[in-house]
Amino acid sequence: SILAEGDATLLAGPGSRAPVRSLPASLDAAGTAMVGRADDLARLTEMWKAATACRGGFVAIVGEEGAGKTRLAAALAAEAHRSGAVIAYARCDADHRSARTLLDQALRSANGSLVAAQAQGRPGEALGIGVGRHLATWSQRWPVLLVLDDLDRADAGVLEVVADLTAEVTSSATLVLGIFRSERGDGGRATGAGARLAIGGLSSQEVAEVCALYGDAWTTDDLRRIGAASGGLPLAVHEMAAAAARQAMASEVRAAT
């Protein structure tokens, strides 16, 4: 069965109520600017359009820490949410390392639960197949976007369940996004099926655009230094630009007193 002995924490929950079409908090990037990534977002949008035409599947977003993988997924989720899709999100962490707890977290983010998926499944059905069938049922009324974050932390068993789930939704209006952290110089780890989108550092022009969010007094040397030190990774660029802007403001305050 889907539930193993001792999974009592999965038993309470929303039951079989219809999914809600809200944007999970982890994917709500309102008020934050995404610089660059236009080509990457366009590619994801095309994959989403294909999924809404019942050509579902899996996309791995791979990149170093701070490359903006989740931010990119959030941009697609915002588009999908505006069109009325069901958005589900889960993150593989210390509390959600097993396939059961990870997928239950995802289903709960859209007002479902693993128990409801099991109740509507077939006796002896594998976990990934059962949840995939459940999402495919949802997608008969609304397209479904499932975002699974930090899958690089998952073991081979969890990735196998995700692969089973993906195989079950390929003829439905369901797209699964798997987010994988890679280290510099490697390609990251992902499931063997589906598309792969590797994202790297921003261009020098995009680094300048990020810095401009924090002021307009940047010299060419400033921008070159931040670009080199950050490797163009958006999170690092934001942090360095913010720190430099705070330092400049503090210097102005001291000079004025």
Side-chain angles (χ1 to χ4, degrees), residues 118-164:
Q118 181 189 36
Q120 296 173 17
R122 299 171 181 173
E125 194 169 50
L127 172 59
I129 293 174
V131 173
R133 190 187 305 279
H134 192 65
L135 295 178
T137 299
W138 282 358
S139 75
Q140 291 174 7
R141 185 168 181 184
W142 311 280
V144 175
L145 177 64
L146 170 62
V147 180
L148 300 176
D149 209 344
D150 289 338
L151 277 185
D152 52 282
R153 300 181 179 181
D155 61 25
V158 172
L159 296 181
E160 183 177 349
V161 170
V162 173
D164 286 345

Side-chain angles (χ1 to χ4, degrees), residues 7-19:
D7 283 333
T9 58
L10 305 183
L11 294 175
S16 58
R17 290 180 292 183

Side-chain angles (χ1 to χ4, degrees), residues 66-98:
K69 303 179 295 296
T70 303
R71 180 64 183 83
L72 179 60
L76 179 66
E79 290 186 5
H81 173 63
R82 285 191 291 270
S83 68
V86 173
I87 315 295
Y89 174 88
R91 178 173 177 263
C92 188
D93 56 23
D95 295 323
H96 304 92
R97 294 294 291 272
S98 74

Side-chain angles (χ1 to χ4, degrees), residues 214 218 225-226 236-250:
Y214 298 91
W218 304 98
R225 175 181 54 82
I226 290 175
V237 175
H238 277 281
E239 290 176 344
M240 295 180 69
R246 287 194 298 269
Q247 184 177 2
M249 179 62 70

Side-chain angles (χ1 to χ4, degrees), residues 138-217:
W138 282 358
S139 75
Q140 291 174 7
R141 185 168 181 184
W142 311 280
V144 175
L145 177 64
L146 170 62
V147 180
L148 300 176
D149 209 344
D150 289 338
L151 277 185
D152 52 282
R153 300 181 179 181
D155 61 25
V158 172
L159 296 181
E160 183 177 349
V161 170
V162 173
D164 286 345
L165 186 159
T166 299
E168 192 63 30
V169 303
T170 52
S171 298
S172 74
T174 304
L175 183 65
V176 182
L177 291 187
I179 300 175
F180 296 82
R181 174 184 172 182
S182 64
E183 299 298 334
R184 185 165 298 185
D186 73 29
R189 181 171 63 108
T191 62
R196 181 186 183 90
L197 182 60
I199 61 175
L202 300 175
S203 69
S204 57
Q205 177 59 41
E206 290 164 345
V207 169
E209 290 179 30
V210 173
C211 290
L213 298 172
Y214 298 91
D216 56 7

Side-chain angles (χ1 to χ4, degrees), residues 58-78:
F58 179 88
V59 183
I61 302 177
V62 181
E64 294 178 54
E65 182 178 8
K69 303 179 295 296
T70 303
R71 180 64 183 83
L72 179 60
L76 179 66

